[in-house]
Amino acid sequence: MSIHLIKKSTGITGLKVEPNARHILAGLYNQLLKKLEILPPTAGYRKSAELETKFRLGVIESETDIVKIENKIYAGQIEELIVQAKNDLKVVDLVHESRAWELPDKNKPPVVIYSSK
């Protein structure tokens, strides 16, 4: 018998509890994996992001308890993970636009400025 707690607050100003967080996050991770395909398979960012996203999606698919998901992923509350995933979707576009994998000088990485505004 398992007991699932219902969270009343995230404790983070401006970040509300998302009752469907697990479902939303799984959808965002699937979108992210699909979107990463616009980057070359050899691009470091794509390799890294795919590895992390597949791990996180695996946790979400194999676990229904939100607290256990948060503990296994160990990157914040599930609502924070949703914000992170939405930001990651934007970062893929920035990496693609800047063509960061095509560095003219391997010692000078490009400067990519990201703003959530």
Side-chain angles (χ1 to χ4, degrees), residues 35 38-39 88-98:
K35 191 168 200 174
I38 67 173
L39 304 177
D88 286 343
L89 286 165
K90 295 174 187 173
V91 171
V92 173
D93 289 331
L94 292 172
V95 170
H96 186 254
E97 289 169 17
S98 71

Side-chain angles (χ1 to χ4, degrees), residues 30-86:
N30 280 310
Q31 285 177 39
L32 183 56
L33 288 170
K34 184 71 178 157
K35 191 168 200 174
L36 284 165
E37 293 176 3
I38 67 173
L39 304 177
T42 56
Y45 178 77
R46 176 179 171 172
K47 289 179 187 179
S48 162
E50 280 180 336
L51 189 64
E52 178 178 279
T53 304
K54 286 177 182 177
F55 165 75
R56 291 179 175 195
L57 183 58
V59 170
I60 289 169
E61 290 174 341
S62 67
E63 189 61 66
T64 58
D65 185 320
I66 299 299
V67 174
K68 288 181 180 177
I69 290 170
E70 292 171 348
N71 289 337
K72 286 182 180 179
I73 293 177
Y74 201 66
Q77 295 181 49
I78 199 159
E79 291 83 2
E80 292 176 288
L81 296 173
I82 290 170
V83 172
Q84 291 172 17
K86 288 177 180 178

Side-chain angles (χ1 to χ4, degrees), residues 19-35:
N20 299 314
R22 185 175 165 270
H23 175 74
I24 291 168
L25 193 53
L28 287 168
Y29 285 154
N30 280 310
Q31 285 177 39
L32 183 56
L33 288 170
K34 184 71 178 157
K35 191 168 200 174

